[in-house]
């Protein structure tokens, strides 16, 4: 299996932990903590919310997060044979969409091929469909990488429940020091995860390293609202409603208070664009969705 061969290689320790010790003071929401404390606290947040993560996403965004992820997938527009790395994707939302999208493309390709061969026999048509059924992804692979064991556990359970097995791998790994060799992936995605990375600059450098030349970086993340009136309403909803939902649905006020605060601490669109360019990416741009409540950043490794 292409993916198994990829994952069997040990990660290269290129940076001797790259200074990931306690380090300087950083923000954990509105608190000031050391780098190591931030890393540990964020791990605890997602360990705590893992089982209710999907339910809370639907509740907090009124289900709109599904539309945002669909838009991300259409922007990616993967073709059969694409190798995707989805970082901080523990519950599998992006990977499952990727598999569905590629299967749909393969199905359309097969239908077009058969349509242009009108004189095929029933047996030839049947055999073509049978062959496609056993290779419905055209060698595409989705590798889900997450630092949190509980999030991966939830994702694997979802995959089993929904019937996803082909072309899907789950890897425990840190976005700041990925356990993959250089130049391996066609697409790197990170959806609602980069703001929880302790060192965004290192995560972006790692994204660049593991992408093939010509590979694409895509980041979907909560961002900064451009409309002043909407921004005030959004703040009111975020700070007054979301922690309450967290308490009612997940029994966890503090974790959702942090998630709201982390959105406000996250760099605005232009600043993140500059950080992505500093990591080496070209043709970097972003698309605001819902007035900037979220944004999709895109860049290429050339």
């Amino acid at each position: 299996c292409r993916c198994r061969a990829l994952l069997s290689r040990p990660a290269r320790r290129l940076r001797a932990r790259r200074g990931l010790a306690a380090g300087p003071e950083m923000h954990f929401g509105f608190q000031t903590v050391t780098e190591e404390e931030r890393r540990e606290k964020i791990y605890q947040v997602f360990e705590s919310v893992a089982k209710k993560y999907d339910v809370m996403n639907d509740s907090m965004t009124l289900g709109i997060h599904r539309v945002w992820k669909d838009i991300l997938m259409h922007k990616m527009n993967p073709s059969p044979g694409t190798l995707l790395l989805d970082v901080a994707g523990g519950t599998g939302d992006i990977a499952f969409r990727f598999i569905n999208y590629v299967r749909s493309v393969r199905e359309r390709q097969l239908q077009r091929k058969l349509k242009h061969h009108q004189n095929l026999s029933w047996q030839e048509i049947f055999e073509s469909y049978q062959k496609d059924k056993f290779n419905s992804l055209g060698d595409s692979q989705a590798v889900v990488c997450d630092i949190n064991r509980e999030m991966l556990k939830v994702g694997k359970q979802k995959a089993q429940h929904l019937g996803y097995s082909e072309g899907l791998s789950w890897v425990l790994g840190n976005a700041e020091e990925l356990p993959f060799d250089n130049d391996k992936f066609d697409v790197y995605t990170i959806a609602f995860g980069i703001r929880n990375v302790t060192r965004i600059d290192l995560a972006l450098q790692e994204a660049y390293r593991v992408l093939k030349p010509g590979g694409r970086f895509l980041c979907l993340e909560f961002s900064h609202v451009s409309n002043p009136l909407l921004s005030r309403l959004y703040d009111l909803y975020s700070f007054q409603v979301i922690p309450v939902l967290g308490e009612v649905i997940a029994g966890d006020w503090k974790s959702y208070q942090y998630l709201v605060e982390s959105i406000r601490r996250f760099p605005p669109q232009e600043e993140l664009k500059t950080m992505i360019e500093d990591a080496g990416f070209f043709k970097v741009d972003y698309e605001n969705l819902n007035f900037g409540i979220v944004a999709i950043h895109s860049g290429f490794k050339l």
Side-chain angles (χ1 to χ4, degrees):
C1 168
R2 180 181 175 191
C3 214
R4 194 175 296 120
L6 168 73
L7 300 176
S8 66
R9 303 188 190 100
R12 293 181 182 176
R13 301 305 174 193
L14 299 176
R15 304 160 203 80
R17 296 297 295 167
R18 290 146 138 198
L20 298 183
E25 290 187 338
M26 311 188 85
H27 294 295
F28 174 76
F30 292 160
Q31 300 177 44
T32 300
V33 296
T34 66
E35 190 171 320
E36 195 56 49
E37 284 173 338
R38 173 180 159 83
R39 187 173 291 106
E40 179 60 30
K41 284 177 177 289
I42 290 174
Y43 189 94
Q44 290 170 358
V45 164
F46 284 93
E47 191 172 52
S48 171
V49 305
K51 290 179 181 177
K52 295 289 186 178
Y53 186 75
D54 290 330
V55 176
M56 278 301 301
N57 278 348
D58 281 332
S59 301
M60 289 189 302
T61 69
L62 308 178
I64 300 173
H65 75 101
R66 298 172 182 267
V67 177
W68 295 332
K69 290 168 183 172
D70 288 341
I71 293 171
L72 176 71
M73 194 53 54
H74 283 280
K75 197 174 183 72
M76 183 195 305
N77 190 25
S79 57
T82 298
L83 184 58
L84 168 70
L85 175 63
D86 183 37
V87 175
T91 59
D93 272 7
I94 301 302
F96 301 155
R97 280 171 169 78
F98 171 81
I99 290 171
N100 292 343
Y101 195 99
V102 173
R103 280 178 179 165
S104 177
V105 171
R106 286 279 291 173
E107 177 69 19
R108 290 197 301 272
Q109 287 177 345
L110 178 62
Q111 289 175 357
R112 281 197 298 269
K113 184 176 77 172
L114 295 177
K115 190 175 179 181
H116 285 89
H117 293 81
Q118 295 290 345
N119 53 355
L120 288 178
S121 67
W122 170 83
Q123 184 66 29
E124 288 170 323
I125 292 172
F126 177 77
E127 287 174 357
S128 291
Y129 268 102
Q130 288 299 105
K131 181 182 177 183
D132 184 70
K133 185 171 76 173
F134 291 110
N135 190 21
S136 64
L137 292 174
D139 296 323
S140 292
Q141 293 279 345
V143 179
V144 180
C145 182
D146 201 295
I147 197 172
N148 194 288
R149 291 181 188 276
E150 282 300 309
M151 294 290 282
L152 285 173
K153 181 180 175 183
V154 170
K156 290 177 185 177
Q157 290 170 346
K158 275 177 64 181
Q160 186 174 16
H161 175 71
L162 296 171
Y164 292 100
S165 57
E166 179 193 10
L168 187 59
S169 297
W170 307 85
V171 179
L172 186 69
N174 185 346
E176 299 165 46
E177 194 167 9
L178 292 169
F180 309 105
D181 287 343
N182 300 345
D183 307 328
K184 290 298 175 187
F185 296 94
D186 301 303
V187 182
Y188 171 113
T189 53
I190 184 164
F192 303 117
I194 201 165
R195 78 180 189 282
N196 297 306
V197 169
T198 303
R199 291 279 304 277
I200 294 175
D201 58 333
L202 295 186
L204 292 172
Q205 289 168 26
E206 281 291 85
Y208 187 88
R209 180 181 68 79
V210 300
L211 278 170
K212 297 176 183 177
R216 190 174 191 186
F217 168 87
L218 285 165
C219 171
L220 171 65
E221 187 55 85
F222 288 108
S223 201
H224 289 249
V225 177
S226 53
N227 182 289
L229 177 59
L230 181 59
S231 179
R232 286 196 291 274
L233 292 173
Y234 181 46
D235 275 348
L236 185 66
Y237 173 77
S238 297
F239 287 99
Q240 302 300 321
V241 177
I242 289 178
V244 175
L245 287 174
E247 181 64 34
V248 172
I249 296 172
D252 192 339
W253 177 293
K254 288 184 177 179
S255 292
Y256 287 94
Q257 180 73 25
Y258 156 72
L259 291 174
V260 171
E261 292 175 359
S262 71
I263 293 169
R264 296 307 180 273
R265 285 290 188 186
F266 191 67
Q269 290 89 324
E270 284 292 332
E271 187 177 333
L272 181 60
K273 178 185 176 183
T274 300
M275 294 174 74
I276 296 168
E277 290 170 336
D278 288 346
F281 288 100
F282 289 86
K283 291 180 66 67
V284 178
D285 63 12
Y286 61 87
E287 177 185 358
N288 284 329
L289 305 178
N290 296 95
F291 300 97
I293 289 177
V294 300
I296 299 175
H297 282 74
S298 170
F300 293 87
K301 177 178 178 176
L302 300 180

